[in-house]
């Protein structure tokens, strides 16, 4: 098992949509960035890459590369999922927190969790998103920006513990269990 932690922050500016967890949230400001600046998804990607020992989001999707200009961070998450699969990792769970004084995010959290789970081909129960304020303190508390933190647990296919409920007679023998 491997644990990864991710953190991201973006400045709030006028004239941009506010996208968090793949959800467009009505608000007078949005997050500044090269992509859609989805702070939550960026933290999740960094946690996943960290757990897999694959560096960070900037190495894979640099902010100076024109192909990532205004790209949906959900698309980047799907690319990250493909890379994890190539490397033989299974996402066990993700726990993330968005730190923002405004807007309130409670109503959007279920859709954020569903979006992340869908992008990673996971049951939604393996993804948790929380939101908190900083009681008016710091750059998030004064409304200058929004930050997010994420943590994940990965298992290597080679180390995965299959049980009889998920094993099938027609198993293709991926190399991750004793049914070879």
């Amino acid at each position: 098992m491997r644990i990864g932690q991710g953190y991201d922050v973006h400045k709030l500016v006028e004239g941009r949509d506010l996208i968090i967890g793949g959800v467009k949230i009505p608000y007078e400001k949005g997050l500044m960035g090269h992509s859609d600046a989805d702070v939550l998804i960026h933290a999740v990607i960094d946690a996943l890459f960290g757990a897999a020992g694959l560096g960070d989001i900037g190495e894979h999707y640099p902010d100076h590369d024109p192909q990532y200009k205004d790209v949906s961070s959900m698309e980047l998450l799907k690319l990250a999922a493909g890379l994890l699969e190539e490397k033989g990792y299974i996402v066990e769970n993700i726990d993330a927190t968005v730190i923002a004084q405004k807007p309130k995010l409670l109503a959007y959290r279920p859709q954020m969790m569903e979006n992340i789970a869908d992008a990673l081909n996971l049951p939604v129960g393996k993804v948790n998103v929380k939101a908190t304020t900083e009681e008016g303190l710091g750059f998030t508390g004064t409304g200058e920006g929004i930050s997010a933190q994420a943590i994940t647990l990965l298992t290597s296919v080679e180390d995965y513990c299959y049980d009889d409920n998920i094993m099938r007679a027609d198993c293709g023998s991926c190399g991750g269990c004793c049914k070879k």
Side-chain angles (χ1 to χ4, degrees), residues 4-8 41-51 55-58 150:
Q5 174 266 331
Y7 173 81
D8 196 39
I41 301 304
H42 293 182
V44 168
I45 292 171
D46 261 349
L48 293 167
F49 283 162
D56 64 30
I57 191 171

Side-chain angles (χ1 to χ4, degrees), residues 116-127:
I116 294 167
D118 286 348
L120 295 170
N121 201 23
L122 296 173
V124 74
K126 288 191 170 199
V127 178

Side-chain angles (χ1 to χ4, degrees), residues 8-13 15-25 29-43 45 57 61-63 65-78 115 146:
D8 196 39
V9 61
H10 285 275
K11 182 178 181 178
L12 280 164
V13 295
R16 296 259 311 185
D17 288 335
L18 179 60
I19 310 290
I20 301 177
V23 178
K24 184 176 175 181
I25 298 169
K29 294 181 179 180
L31 295 170
M32 183 171 68
H34 185 69
S35 66
D36 65 4
D38 189 328
V39 69
L40 172 58
I41 301 304
H42 293 182
I45 292 171
I57 191 171
Y61 319 118
D63 64 5
D65 190 328
Q67 73 176 316
Y68 302 119
K69 178 72 175 144
D70 297 323
V71 71
S72 165
S73 295
M74 295 305 299
E75 292 305 313
L76 299 180
L77 183 57
K78 290 174 187 175
N115 290 348
I146 295 176

Side-chain angles (χ1 to χ4, degrees), residues 109-120:
R109 288 177 40 242
Q111 186 63 55
M112 292 175 190
M113 291 184 283
E114 189 174 312
N115 290 348
I116 294 167
D118 286 348
L120 295 170

Side-chain angles (χ1 to χ4, degrees), residues 160-167:
Y160 200 72
C161 180
Y162 292 90
D163 63 29
D164 291 339
N165 293 328
I166 63 173
M167 292 305 300

Side-chain angles (χ1 to χ4, degrees), residues 124-142:
V124 74
K126 288 191 170 199
V127 178
N128 189 55
V129 174
K130 305 177 299 290
T132 190
T133 69
E134 291 201 301
E135 304 298 326
L137 301 173
F139 70 91
T140 56
T142 61

